[in-house]
Short mmCIF file of all heavy atoms in Angstrom, two decimals:
data_model
loop_
_atom_site.label_atom_id
_atom_site.label_comp_id
_atom_site.label_asym_id
_atom_site.label_seq_id
_atom_site.Cartn_x
_atom_site.Cartn_y
_atom_site.Cartn_z
N THR P 127 0.85 -1.20 -0.05
CA THR P 127 0.00 0.04 -0.01
C THR P 127 0.90 1.24 0.01
O THR P 127 1.61 1.51 0.93
CB THR P 127 -0.90 -0.03 1.21
OG1 THR P 127 -1.78 -1.10 1.14
CG2 THR P 127 -1.81 1.29 1.24
N VAL P 128 0.78 2.02 -1.07
CA VAL P 128 1.42 3.34 -1.15
C VAL P 128 0.62 4.30 -0.30
O VAL P 128 -0.69 4.33 -0.47
CB VAL P 128 1.57 3.81 -2.59
CG1 VAL P 128 2.08 5.27 -2.64
CG2 VAL P 128 2.40 2.84 -3.41
N ARG P 129 1.19 5.06 0.49
CA ARG P 129 0.43 5.93 1.44
C ARG P 129 0.07 7.30 0.86
O ARG P 129 -0.93 7.92 1.33
CB ARG P 129 1.25 6.11 2.79
CG ARG P 129 1.49 4.78 3.45
CD ARG P 129 2.34 5.04 4.64
NE ARG P 129 1.72 5.88 5.70
CZ ARG P 129 2.42 6.31 6.69
NH1 ARG P 129 3.65 5.98 6.89
NH2 ARG P 129 1.82 7.08 7.59
N GLU P 130 0.83 7.75 -0.17
CA GLU P 130 0.57 9.06 -0.70
C GLU P 130 1.12 9.17 -2.13
O GLU P 130 2.10 8.52 -2.47
CB GLU P 130 1.21 10.18 0.14
CG GLU P 130 0.72 11.60 -0.08
CD GLU P 130 1.13 12.52 1.09
OE1 GLU P 130 2.29 13.00 1.00
OE2 GLU P 130 0.40 12.61 1.97
N VAL P 131 0.45 9.99 -2.97
CA VAL P 131 0.87 10.27 -4.35
C VAL P 131 1.00 11.68 -4.50
O VAL P 131 0.13 12.53 -4.11
CB VAL P 131 -0.07 9.63 -5.40
CG1 VAL P 131 0.38 10.01 -6.80
CG2 VAL P 131 -0.19 8.17 -5.25
N TRP P 132 2.10 12.19 -5.16
CA TRP P 132 2.24 13.58 -5.59
C TRP P 132 2.13 13.61 -7.11
O TRP P 132 2.84 12.89 -7.81
CB TRP P 132 3.58 14.16 -5.16
CG TRP P 132 3.77 14.31 -3.68
CD1 TRP P 132 2.86 14.06 -2.66
CD2 TRP P 132 4.92 14.87 -3.06
NE1 TRP P 132 3.40 14.33 -1.50
CE2 TRP P 132 4.62 14.83 -1.65
CE3 TRP P 132 6.11 15.36 -3.50
CZ2 TRP P 132 5.60 15.27 -0.68
CZ3 TRP P 132 7.05 15.83 -2.52
CH2 TRP P 132 6.81 15.82 -1.20
N LEU P 133 1.28 14.53 -7.66
CA LEU P 133 1.11 14.69 -9.07
C LEU P 133 1.78 15.92 -9.56
O LEU P 133 1.65 16.99 -8.96
CB LEU P 133 -0.33 14.70 -9.38
CG LEU P 133 -1.25 13.53 -8.97
CD1 LEU P 133 -2.69 13.79 -9.33
CD2 LEU P 133 -0.72 12.19 -9.66
N THR P 134 2.55 15.78 -10.71
CA THR P 134 3.14 16.98 -11.32
C THR P 134 2.38 17.38 -12.61
O THR P 134 1.74 16.59 -13.23
CB THR P 134 4.64 16.66 -11.69
OG1 THR P 134 4.62 15.64 -12.76
CG2 THR P 134 5.43 16.15 -10.55
N GLY P 135 2.50 18.69 -12.91
CA GLY P 135 2.03 19.10 -14.16
C GLY P 135 0.45 19.44 -14.17
O GLY P 135 -0.05 19.73 -15.28
N GLY P 136 -0.21 19.38 -13.00
CA GLY P 136 -1.57 19.62 -13.03
C GLY P 136 -1.92 21.15 -12.87
O GLY P 136 -1.03 21.90 -12.65
N PRO P 137 -3.13 21.46 -13.09
CA PRO P 137 -3.61 22.87 -13.04
C PRO P 137 -3.74 23.47 -11.67
O PRO P 137 -3.89 24.72 -11.59
CB PRO P 137 -4.98 22.84 -13.90
CG PRO P 137 -5.50 21.45 -13.44
CD PRO P 137 -4.31 20.57 -13.44
N ALA P 138 -3.81 22.69 -10.65
CA ALA P 138 -4.12 23.21 -9.34
C ALA P 138 -3.23 22.52 -8.27
O ALA P 138 -3.75 21.83 -7.37
CB ALA P 138 -5.60 22.91 -8.97
N PRO P 139 -1.93 22.91 -8.25
CA PRO P 139 -1.00 22.31 -7.21
C PRO P 139 -1.45 22.88 -5.83
O PRO P 139 -1.89 24.00 -5.69
CB PRO P 139 0.31 22.86 -7.61
CG PRO P 139 0.07 24.13 -8.42
CD PRO P 139 -1.14 23.80 -9.18
N ASP P 140 -1.19 22.01 -4.91
CA ASP P 140 -1.56 22.47 -3.50
C ASP P 140 -0.36 22.13 -2.43
O ASP P 140 -0.48 22.31 -1.34
CB ASP P 140 -2.82 21.72 -3.02
CG ASP P 140 -2.74 20.21 -3.08
OD1 ASP P 140 -1.65 19.61 -3.32
OD2 ASP P 140 -3.77 19.59 -2.94
N HIS P 141 0.86 21.76 -3.05
CA HIS P 141 1.96 21.58 -2.20
C HIS P 141 3.23 21.95 -3.02
O HIS P 141 3.38 21.66 -4.17
CB HIS P 141 2.06 20.00 -1.90
CG HIS P 141 3.31 19.74 -1.14
ND1 HIS P 141 3.65 20.26 0.11
CD2 HIS P 141 4.29 18.85 -1.35
CE1 HIS P 141 4.82 19.85 0.52
NE2 HIS P 141 5.19 18.91 -0.35
N TYR P 142 4.01 22.79 -2.30
CA TYR P 142 5.25 23.26 -2.94
C TYR P 142 6.46 22.91 -2.12
O TYR P 142 6.44 22.91 -0.93
CB TYR P 142 5.14 24.79 -3.02
CG TYR P 142 3.95 25.37 -3.82
CD1 TYR P 142 2.77 25.55 -3.25
CD2 TYR P 142 4.08 25.59 -5.19
CE1 TYR P 142 1.65 25.99 -3.89
CE2 TYR P 142 2.97 26.07 -5.92
CZ TYR P 142 1.80 26.25 -5.28
OH TYR P 142 0.65 26.63 -6.00
N VAL P 143 7.52 22.56 -2.85
CA VAL P 143 8.83 22.12 -2.22
C VAL P 143 9.86 23.22 -2.57
O VAL P 143 10.02 23.45 -3.76
CB VAL P 143 9.20 20.76 -2.66
CG1 VAL P 143 10.62 20.35 -2.13
CG2 VAL P 143 8.15 19.67 -2.35
N ASP P 144 10.42 23.85 -1.58
CA ASP P 144 11.51 24.73 -1.79
C ASP P 144 12.74 24.02 -2.23
O ASP P 144 13.31 23.32 -1.47
CB ASP P 144 11.77 25.58 -0.48
CG ASP P 144 12.66 26.74 -0.72
OD1 ASP P 144 13.60 26.63 -1.60
OD2 ASP P 144 12.47 27.77 -0.02
N VAL P 145 13.21 24.23 -3.58
CA VAL P 145 14.31 23.55 -4.00
C VAL P 145 15.47 24.55 -4.33
O VAL P 145 16.39 24.20 -5.04
CB VAL P 145 13.98 22.81 -5.38
CG1 VAL P 145 12.85 21.76 -5.13
CG2 VAL P 145 13.52 23.74 -6.40
N THR P 146 15.45 25.62 -3.61
CA THR P 146 16.49 26.64 -3.82
C THR P 146 17.85 26.18 -3.54
O THR P 146 18.79 26.36 -4.32
CB THR P 146 16.20 27.88 -2.91
OG1 THR P 146 14.91 28.41 -3.10
CG2 THR P 146 17.24 29.03 -3.23
N ASP P 147 17.96 25.35 -2.53
CA ASP P 147 19.33 24.84 -2.16
C ASP P 147 19.85 23.83 -3.12
O ASP P 147 21.08 23.57 -3.09
CB ASP P 147 19.28 24.24 -0.72
CG ASP P 147 19.11 25.34 0.41
OD1 ASP P 147 19.23 26.51 -0.01
OD2 ASP P 147 18.73 24.93 1.51
N VAL P 148 19.03 23.23 -3.95
CA VAL P 148 19.45 22.21 -4.88
C VAL P 148 19.19 22.62 -6.32
O VAL P 148 19.25 21.76 -7.20
CB VAL P 148 18.83 20.87 -4.58
CG1 VAL P 148 19.32 20.27 -3.22
CG2 VAL P 148 17.30 20.95 -4.63
N ILE P 149 18.91 23.85 -6.62
CA ILE P 149 18.51 24.28 -7.93
C ILE P 149 19.67 24.06 -8.92
O ILE P 149 19.41 23.69 -10.08
CB ILE P 149 18.10 25.75 -7.93
CG1 ILE P 149 17.48 26.15 -9.37
CG2 ILE P 149 19.27 26.69 -7.63
CD1 ILE P 149 16.17 25.37 -9.63
N ASP P 150 20.90 24.16 -8.43
CA ASP P 150 22.12 23.86 -9.31
C ASP P 150 22.14 22.46 -9.78
O ASP P 150 22.46 22.07 -10.90
CB ASP P 150 23.40 24.34 -8.72
CG ASP P 150 23.53 25.80 -8.61
OD1 ASP P 150 22.76 26.58 -9.32
OD2 ASP P 150 24.38 26.30 -7.80
N ARG P 151 21.74 21.53 -8.86
CA ARG P 151 21.69 20.14 -9.15
C ARG P 151 20.62 19.80 -10.11
O ARG P 151 20.58 18.92 -10.94
CB ARG P 151 21.68 19.30 -7.93
CG ARG P 151 23.04 19.21 -7.16
CD ARG P 151 22.87 18.96 -5.72
NE ARG P 151 22.37 17.57 -5.49
CZ ARG P 151 22.03 17.10 -4.30
NH1 ARG P 151 22.03 17.92 -3.24
NH2 ARG P 151 21.67 15.89 -4.19
N LYS P 152 19.44 20.49 -9.87
CA LYS P 152 18.31 20.32 -10.84
C LYS P 152 18.72 20.71 -12.28
O LYS P 152 18.42 20.03 -13.21
CB LYS P 152 17.04 21.07 -10.30
CG LYS P 152 15.79 20.94 -11.20
CD LYS P 152 14.70 21.79 -10.56
CE LYS P 152 13.48 21.78 -11.55
NZ LYS P 152 12.80 20.52 -11.49
N LEU P 153 19.31 21.88 -12.30
CA LEU P 153 19.77 22.36 -13.61
C LEU P 153 20.78 21.43 -14.20
O LEU P 153 20.72 21.18 -15.44
CB LEU P 153 20.41 23.77 -13.48
CG LEU P 153 19.39 24.92 -13.31
CD1 LEU P 153 20.08 26.18 -12.92
CD2 LEU P 153 18.55 25.07 -14.58
N ALA P 154 21.61 20.90 -13.48
CA ALA P 154 22.64 19.94 -13.96
C ALA P 154 21.99 18.70 -14.54
O ALA P 154 22.35 18.17 -15.52
CB ALA P 154 23.72 19.59 -12.88
N ALA P 155 20.94 18.23 -13.79
CA ALA P 155 20.15 17.07 -14.24
C ALA P 155 19.49 17.40 -15.62
O ALA P 155 19.65 16.66 -16.54
CB ALA P 155 19.12 16.69 -13.28
N LEU P 156 18.87 18.57 -15.69
CA LEU P 156 18.21 19.02 -16.94
C LEU P 156 19.14 19.09 -18.09
O LEU P 156 18.89 18.73 -19.17
CB LEU P 156 17.41 20.21 -16.65
CG LEU P 156 16.07 20.06 -15.97
CD1 LEU P 156 15.58 21.38 -15.45
CD2 LEU P 156 15.07 19.41 -16.81
N GLN P 157 20.34 19.69 -17.73
CA GLN P 157 21.26 19.93 -18.83
C GLN P 157 22.06 18.64 -19.29
O GLN P 157 22.75 18.61 -20.29
CB GLN P 157 22.30 21.05 -18.35
CG GLN P 157 21.67 22.34 -18.35
CD GLN P 157 22.47 23.42 -17.62
OE1 GLN P 157 23.22 23.12 -16.68
NE2 GLN P 157 22.32 24.71 -18.04
N SER P 158 21.80 17.57 -18.50
CA SER P 158 22.29 16.24 -19.01
C SER P 158 21.55 15.79 -20.21
O SER P 158 22.07 14.90 -20.88
CB SER P 158 22.19 15.27 -17.85
OG SER P 158 23.00 15.59 -16.73
N HIS P 159 20.34 16.27 -20.41
CA HIS P 159 19.63 15.78 -21.52
C HIS P 159 19.91 16.74 -22.80
O HIS P 159 19.14 17.45 -23.28
CB HIS P 159 18.07 16.04 -21.23
CG HIS P 159 17.69 15.13 -20.03
ND1 HIS P 159 17.37 13.79 -20.17
CD2 HIS P 159 17.46 15.43 -18.73
CE1 HIS P 159 17.05 13.32 -18.99
NE2 HIS P 159 17.07 14.27 -18.07
N VAL P 160 21.13 16.56 -23.22
CA VAL P 160 21.68 17.36 -24.27
C VAL P 160 20.83 17.32 -25.55
O VAL P 160 20.66 18.29 -26.25
CB VAL P 160 23.14 16.97 -24.56
CG1 VAL P 160 23.74 17.72 -25.79
CG2 VAL P 160 24.01 17.18 -23.33
N SER P 161 20.35 16.09 -25.87
CA SER P 161 19.59 15.91 -27.13
C SER P 161 18.26 16.70 -27.07
O SER P 161 17.69 16.95 -28.14
CB SER P 161 19.34 14.46 -27.33
OG SER P 161 18.43 13.95 -26.30
N GLN P 162 17.83 17.15 -25.82
CA GLN P 162 16.51 17.82 -25.77
C GLN P 162 16.62 19.33 -25.49
O GLN P 162 15.78 20.03 -25.90
CB GLN P 162 15.79 17.22 -24.52
CG GLN P 162 15.64 15.72 -24.55
CD GLN P 162 15.04 15.15 -25.79
OE1 GLN P 162 13.83 15.46 -26.07
NE2 GLN P 162 15.73 14.38 -26.60
N VAL P 163 17.69 19.74 -24.83
CA VAL P 163 17.74 21.13 -24.41
C VAL P 163 18.93 21.97 -24.90
O VAL P 163 18.97 23.15 -24.77
CB VAL P 163 17.80 21.18 -22.84
CG1 VAL P 163 16.65 20.43 -22.26
CG2 VAL P 163 19.08 20.70 -22.24
N ALA P 164 19.92 21.24 -25.58
CA ALA P 164 21.08 22.01 -25.96
C ALA P 164 20.80 23.22 -26.98
O ALA P 164 21.48 24.14 -26.94
CB ALA P 164 22.11 21.07 -26.60
N HIS P 165 19.74 23.02 -27.66
CA HIS P 165 19.46 24.02 -28.69
C HIS P 165 18.67 25.20 -28.16
O HIS P 165 18.38 26.14 -28.87
CB HIS P 165 18.56 23.34 -29.83
CG HIS P 165 17.22 22.93 -29.34
ND1 HIS P 165 17.09 21.87 -28.52
CD2 HIS P 165 15.98 23.48 -29.56
CE1 HIS P 165 15.77 21.73 -28.24
NE2 HIS P 165 15.07 22.66 -28.88
N VAL P 166 18.21 25.13 -26.87
CA VAL P 166 17.29 26.19 -26.24
C VAL P 166 18.17 27.36 -25.80
O VAL P 166 18.94 27.17 -24.93
CB VAL P 166 16.42 25.64 -25.07
CG1 VAL P 166 15.63 26.69 -24.58
CG2 VAL P 166 15.62 24.42 -25.57
#
């Protein structure tokens, strides 16, 4: 039994996670997808 689900991309979010301290790691993860984002 999974106790909770968090959904992304919906029109009415009700929970926010402060990711300021890890924003550089999030960006590094995104920039790893060279085939998708290098042209942006």
